[in-house]
Amino acid sequence: MITRDRDRTPWARVSRLLPLDAERAWDLVADARHHTRWVPLTRVDLTRPGAEAAGPGWERWPGGTSPQVGDEIRAVSGPFARRGAPGLVDRMRIERYERPLGAVPGVAVFQKLGPVLLGTARIEVEAAGSSARVTWTETVHLRGLPPAATRWLGALLVEGMLQLVLARAVREAAHGTQRTAA
């Protein structure tokens, strides 16, 4: 569903019920390391600031740790992106990452940094009985063009992608095939 906020910015918004408790649903959908399995033709690389890292101070996200505010995500999409080929780069930084706590929903906010796509993605996970309701919203626009000119097209395209991604996440959760992040 496409919604608009007070300033008339269009947002793609998709909600699905996952057959997992809120904690497990959060671990599955809010951790971007899982998104490679659901987003077609896309690989996801995650980095975290490291005190001992050389150069710009970033190192590959260590496995076995939870995401944190400030971590960066680099998603590359293209026909052979999963094999290491170049493609459309979507860089994001985690601005908020709060796990669900009882009746309080978990919220993750990712700021899109470019070089092509700018905007915000937000994932909310709330308890719904023995299941969890996941709501994923995004607003995107193209760098270099007026945001008002590209946000509507972005919302339409992103909505289709979110429908597919959450359908795949639901299927994975229902079949009990969810894996830990690598």
Side-chain angles (χ1 to χ4, degrees), residues 123-155:
I123 299 172
E124 294 182 40
V125 177
E126 62 183 323
S130 61
S131 298
R133 174 160 305 283
V134 174
T135 302
W136 192 326
T137 56
E138 288 199 30
T139 182
V140 297
H141 63 276
L142 297 175
R143 179 184 295 258
L145 294 173
T150 59
R151 277 192 179 130
W152 277 104
L153 178 60

Side-chain angles (χ1 to χ4, degrees), residues 3-4 40 59 86 94 113 129 141-142 152 157 159-160:
T3 60
R4 290 189 289 180
E59 61 185 31
I94 300 175
L113 305 172
H141 63 276
L142 297 175
W152 277 104
L157 295 173
E159 181 184 19

